[in-house]
Amino acid sequence: SGDFGDLILAASELNLIEPDPPYYNVDLVETGSYQLIIFQDSMSSLFPGDEVGVFDAGGIVESCDPAAGCTDVTYGEVLVGAGIWTGSQLEVSAIMSEDLSDFGGPVLNGAIEDNPVIVKVWKAFEEVEYSATAVWAAGNGNFGDLILAASDLQLEGYECDVLYGASETIKK
């Protein structure tokens, strides 16, 4: 009957509900240029519902259009892509900056080619953000690589414990 006092309780279907709003909310104007970043299904530190944020520490924070009076481009850490881990491969399309200033046009927000990809993870169960080091199976971890695929993420300071079913605490 589905009561917790039953001897056997089985679920035939499990639906993940995405957080509303998600922790990582990409708030950039679409530029039309993207970098595909693949997080393969071999991730050992992610659990369904965890969020993955892709950042550029030296990206273009907001578009700068000289026609609108902007004269100085603002560089800094910018969230350029995000996704929610479901337990299988995750593809994130990171927004790339476009510099049209040589033609009197704007410098559009986003990641800058050759800058390193920065990954952060929001652990939904713990409600904690971790910095991550990607293990790159393809590419060298810089925006502009033809293929960027991470086979695993090592989370700084993350401990997997009995909350996730491990028999002992494991430093990741």
Side-chain angles (χ1 to χ4, degrees):
S1 67
D3 296 326
F4 283 98
D6 290 345
L7 180 60
I8 297 176
L9 181 63
S12 61
E13 189 174 318
L14 179 64
N15 293 318
L16 293 176
I17 300 172
E18 292 189 12
D20 184 26
Y23 183 76
Y24 294 118
N25 183 22
V26 180
D27 189 24
L28 296 177
V29 176
E30 300 281 335
T31 65
S33 295
Y34 302 93
Q35 169 75 59
L36 176 64
I37 301 170
I38 299 168
F39 297 93
Q40 299 174 332
D41 59 6
S42 54
M43 297 288 153
S44 63
S45 58
L46 297 180
F47 294 90
D50 290 348
E51 295 184 43
V52 177
V54 176
F55 295 81
D56 182 343
I60 308 290
V61 175
E62 61 183 70
S63 295
C64 181
D65 188 352
C70 180
T71 57
D72 293 318
V73 176
T74 303
Y75 297 90
E77 183 176 86
V78 60
L79 174 66
V80 294
I84 298 175
W85 183 254
T86 62
S88 59
Q89 180 171 296
L90 172 66
E91 296 91 15
V92 173
S93 293
I95 297 172
M96 296 296 293
S97 173
E98 288 294 326
D99 185 350
L100 306 173
S101 62
D102 289 344
F103 310 103
V107 178
L108 303 176
N109 56 203
I112 298 174
E113 189 167 332
D114 295 326
N115 282 359
V117 173
I118 306 296
V119 179
K120 296 181 183 181
V121 173
W122 173 256
K123 301 296 282 175
F125 185 80
E126 300 171 31
E127 296 186 351
V128 174
E129 182 180 58
Y130 293 93
S131 294
T133 301
V135 177
W136 297 106
N140 65 9
N142 291 332
F143 288 105
D145 281 346
L146 182 60
I147 298 175
L148 277 174
S151 60
D152 205 1
L153 293 174
Q154 299 167 345
L155 308 183
E156 294 177 25
Y158 174 67
E159 293 183 12
C160 178
D161 59 21
V162 293
L163 295 174
Y164 293 114
S167 59
E168 59 186 59
T169 299
I170 302 167
K171 272 280 202 195
K172 295 275 183 171

